[in-house]
C-alpha cells in the first residue's frame, strides 16, 4: 500500500476529506507511531491541528493503526501477491 492508497483508505474509514487525511498522514510520518510512547503525542497533535476532541483523535489514531496492521499482516501472509 502506497501513501495515496493509505490516505484514500483512511478517508473512507473515517469519512474525512482527503485534506484532513493528508494532515493525519503528516502527523503519523513525523512521529514514530508504532511506539506506545508516541501515542499521546500523536493524539495531542491531532487535537491541535484538526481541531477535534480527544475521543475523536483516539479514534483516528486507532483507525490508522488498524489499517497499517492489516496491510502488514496481508504482506506477511502473501509476500509476493498484490491486493489488486
Amino acid at each position: 500500500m502506497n501513501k495515496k492508497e493509505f490516505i484514500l483508505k483512511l478517508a473512507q474509514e473515517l469519512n474525512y476529506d482527503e485534506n484532513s487525511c493528508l494532515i493525519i498522514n503528516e502527523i503519523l510520518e513525523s512521529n514514530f507511531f508504532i511506539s506506545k510512547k508516541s501515542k499521546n503525542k500523536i493524539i495531542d497533535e491531532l487535537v491541535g491541528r484538526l481541531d477535534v476532541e480527544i475521543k475523536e483523535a483516539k479514534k483516528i489514531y486507532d483507525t490508522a493503526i488498524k489499517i497499517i496492521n492489516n496491510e502488514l499482516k496481508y504482506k506477511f501472509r502473501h509476500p509476493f501477491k498484490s491486493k489488486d
Side-chain angles (χ1 to χ4, degrees):
M1 174 179 284
N2 63 30
K3 186 188 299 190
K4 181 73 174 170
E5 290 172 345
F6 173 72
I7 291 169
L8 291 175
K9 179 74 172 171
L10 196 59
Q12 178 185 7
E13 293 274 329
L14 293 171
N15 293 323
Y16 277 37
D17 64 5
E18 199 170 323
N19 290 331
S20 296
C21 291
L22 283 169
I23 294 170
I24 294 167
N25 187 59
E26 284 177 22
I27 293 169
L28 292 173
E29 284 182 345
S30 68
N31 294 288
F32 187 65
F33 62 90
I34 296 174
S35 169
K36 295 284 184 186
K37 294 177 183 177
S38 296
K39 181 178 180 177
N40 291 332
K41 182 180 176 192
I42 292 170
I43 289 172
D44 290 341
E45 276 191 60
L46 289 169
V47 168
R49 290 188 61 192
L50 293 176
D51 196 29
V52 295
E53 294 182 12
I54 291 177
K55 184 177 180 181
E56 184 66 17
K58 286 180 181 182
K59 177 185 163 197
I60 293 168
Y61 177 85
D62 291 339
T63 302
I65 296 302
K66 181 183 83 168
I67 292 169
I68 292 167
N69 284 339
N70 287 342
E71 185 65 24
L72 288 174
K73 286 177 188 176
Y74 182 84
K75 287 295 182 187
F76 281 127
R77 289 184 186 136
H78 311 286
F80 303 110
K81 189 175 181 182
S82 175
K83 279 192 171 182
D84 298 335

